[in-house]
Amino acid sequence: MKTNSKIIIAMMLALLASSCRNKDDRMLTIVNEDGTCSREYTFHTTQQWLAAAPDEDYDSIVDKSWERSWSVLGADSVRYPVPLTEAQLDSMQALDNSQPLGNMLMVHCRKTYGSVEEMSAHLYHADRSHLVEVRDVKASSRLEKRFRWFYTDYTFSETFTYDGEPVFPVPISRFLGADTVAYWFTGQPDLMRNLSGAEVKDRLDKIEAKVSQWANANWFTEVCNIIIENYDSIKNPPVSKERFISMRDSLAMHPRVLNLSEKEWGSPVFDGELKDIFQSEAYSSFLKSYDGGPGQYKDLMSFGMPYDLVMPGTVTDAGMGEYDGRVIHYQLGGERLIPGAYTISATSRAANVWAFIVTLLVIVLAVGSWFYQRKRK
């Protein structure tokens, strides 16, 4: 059944939070002490795109103020200026013949901004070797500076919010509480603290079962919505359109729908369900010939990539990220926006060298003045 196969793919991506985003893609944010910042996107690209001269149309970048460079994945950390030359291409071909060249080329696009607010006003993600602006996910950033004389504390935060049309017809709140939903998709709040490994597994298994039921309910609801949208095309429907609409929600919560296992997703299970309930093959006959599927999950679930952050000075609080001594690493994906807004934040401390110099000069002048006064006496 064509419809079922397309819905299966969409729901597996969106509801079970498995995405086809490339693990090598990433977004780097660098915050400077003066409040300026830069953002760099790294993603797979093609030799044709890299061969374009810097003054040519980038085809995917909004303007030409972006700096571009490229590197070879896994070869070294050296970056080369664009465009890619024929000599470089020839030498690269000999690096690893077991991999297609498209799997090895990485492009780095960086732009500098006057403020973090300006930076987050335009959000991008990689799509088919190009950089495109995200439509339905909005970002807002904030940078706070606290002057402490000898040092300055910097706190940076960036909040991501899904701002598109409602994605899921059946809300997850019908299956799980808000804290549990947030933990499942973001890891916070930490509901597993002080639990043993066995206790954690037991609780996660129960949560996963509820999430799967939520996925099934949405999947079935989408099937019903397709039927409703095309009701006039269905031959000899057993009930009126109004009656079918009134039954949709209760049917989506039927135990047979909710407890459908992942292994059964490839079978036309809803055909049998609809046949049994309505004693008719009208809906299943329509679905077998329907060549469409829900597409509202794509914008949300295609968004995201590993998010790296560099703060001025020494990091004192990495929030939900992992600090390696230079860069803070976060995970950012559309599934983390399912519970609501998702915020990345960090705090760092930078020494004010001039404050130490001024203080030292004051001390030297004070001591010198004291000795001078004593000498005059």
Side-chain angles (χ1 to χ4, degrees):
M1 184 170 66
K2 295 181 180 179
T3 300
N4 272 7
S5 65
K6 292 196 174 186
I7 296 176
I8 290 169
I9 294 173
M11 300 305 288
M12 287 180 69
L13 290 177
L15 302 181
L16 297 184
S18 66
S19 166
C20 59
R21 295 186 297 269
N22 196 302
K23 62 182 178 62
D24 299 316
D25 297 349
R26 61 187 57 254
M27 178 168 65
L28 170 65
T29 299
I30 300 176
V31 179
N32 302 314
E33 291 186 22
D34 61 359
T36 61
C37 57
S38 64
R39 175 155 283 170
E40 179 181 271
Y41 295 90
T42 296
F43 52 95
H44 283 272
T45 188
T46 63
Q47 62 188 72
Q48 292 80 8
W49 200 73
L50 287 181
D55 58 346
E56 293 183 30
D57 184 7
Y58 287 1
D59 189 36
S60 61
I61 303 296
V62 176
D63 56 52
K64 295 183 175 65
S65 61
W66 293 76
E67 300 175 15
R68 289 192 302 164
S69 59
W70 63 273
S71 63
V72 180
L73 181 65
D76 51 45
S77 58
V78 178
R79 294 188 179 185
Y80 306 91
V82 173
L84 171 68
T85 65
E86 290 188 12
Q88 290 171 327
L89 182 60
D90 292 340
S91 62
M92 203 165 28
Q93 295 277 15
L95 287 177
D96 189 352
N97 293 326
S98 65
Q99 291 194 51
L101 190 58
N103 294 345
M104 302 168 61
L105 290 175
M106 304 296 294
V107 65
H108 313 275
C109 300
R110 176 180 292 196
K111 186 172 183 178
T112 300
Y113 299 89
S115 67
V116 297
E117 292 82 5
E118 180 187 356
M119 175 187 67
S120 62
H122 299 283
L123 191 62
Y124 300 86
H125 76 107
D127 182 26
R128 300 177 183 176
S129 300
H130 297 292
L131 201 59
V132 296
E133 191 162 8
V134 179
R135 294 181 302 170
D136 292 330
V137 176
K138 306 300 180 184
S140 60
S141 297
R142 185 177 181 182
L143 178 63
E144 296 180 358
K145 294 194 290 185
R146 295 183 178 88
F147 178 67
R148 311 286 190 184
W149 183 249
F150 288 113
Y151 55 85
T152 300
D153 287 335
Y154 298 84
T155 299
F156 169 78
S157 64
E158 187 162 19
T159 300
F160 300 88
T161 307
Y162 177 70
D163 193 39
E165 294 294 325
V167 174
F168 306 106
V170 180
I172 197 171
S173 58
R174 297 180 67 174
F175 297 85
L176 293 167
D179 284 349
T180 304
V181 173
Y183 173 77
W184 182 260
F185 289 107
T186 70
Q188 295 293 329
D190 186 5
L191 302 182
M192 305 301 168
R193 186 176 181 182
N194 299 325
L195 296 182
S196 68
E199 291 169 335
V200 169
K201 182 182 183 305
D202 179 65
R203 185 169 294 189
L204 289 177
D205 286 344
K206 291 178 179 178
I207 297 174
E208 184 179 28
K210 289 294 184 181
V211 173
S212 295
Q213 288 185 336
W214 171 61
N216 292 343
N218 276 279
W219 175 17
F220 184 79
T221 301
E222 294 293 357
V223 172
C224 291
N225 288 341
I226 290 172
I227 292 175
I228 292 169
E229 292 171 3
N230 299 273
Y231 215 82
D232 293 340
S233 302
I234 299 174
K235 298 179 180 179
N236 303 317
V239 297
S240 66
K241 181 178 180 179
E242 291 72 20
R243 174 61 177 161
F244 187 88
I245 293 174
S246 68
M247 298 177 65
R248 175 184 52 194
D249 292 345
S250 60
L251 293 177
M253 300 300 291
H254 192 283
R256 179 174 173 179
V257 172
L258 297 181
N259 297 321
L260 176 68
S261 69
E262 261 184 77
K263 294 180 180 179
E264 298 175 279
W265 276 20
S267 64
V269 64
F270 293 139
D271 283 2
E273 187 71 21
L274 293 170
K275 287 178 184 177
D276 292 343
I277 294 172
F278 296 102
Q279 294 297 302
S280 170
E281 295 186 2
Y283 302 125
S284 58
S285 297
F286 162 75
L287 290 173
K288 288 177 181 178
S289 63
Y290 180 77
D291 189 17
Q296 68 271 33
Y297 307 106
K298 181 177 182 293
D299 289 338
L300 174 61
M301 300 313 299
S302 64
F303 167 75
M305 60 184 72
Y307 183 113
D308 294 340
L309 175 64
V310 174
M311 293 287 291
T314 302
V315 173
T316 57
D317 184 2
M320 291 188 288
E322 295 184 3
Y323 184 48
D324 65 7
R326 189 180 71 87
V327 181
I328 312 174
H329 305 280
Y330 302 87
Q331 293 298 321
L332 176 63
E335 68 276 0
R336 293 177 182 264
L337 307 185
I338 292 176
Y342 181 71
T343 300
I344 284 172
S345 63
T347 300
S348 66
R349 173 170 291 180
N352 297 323
V353 177
W354 61 267
F356 286 93
I357 296 174
V358 169
T359 301
L360 180 61
L361 288 176
V362 170
I363 293 174
V364 170
L365 289 175
V367 172
S369 177
W370 182 77
F371 278 109
Y372 177 76
Q373 293 296 332
R374 287 195 60 181
K375 186 177 181 179
R376 289 189 62 183
K377 294 178 179 179

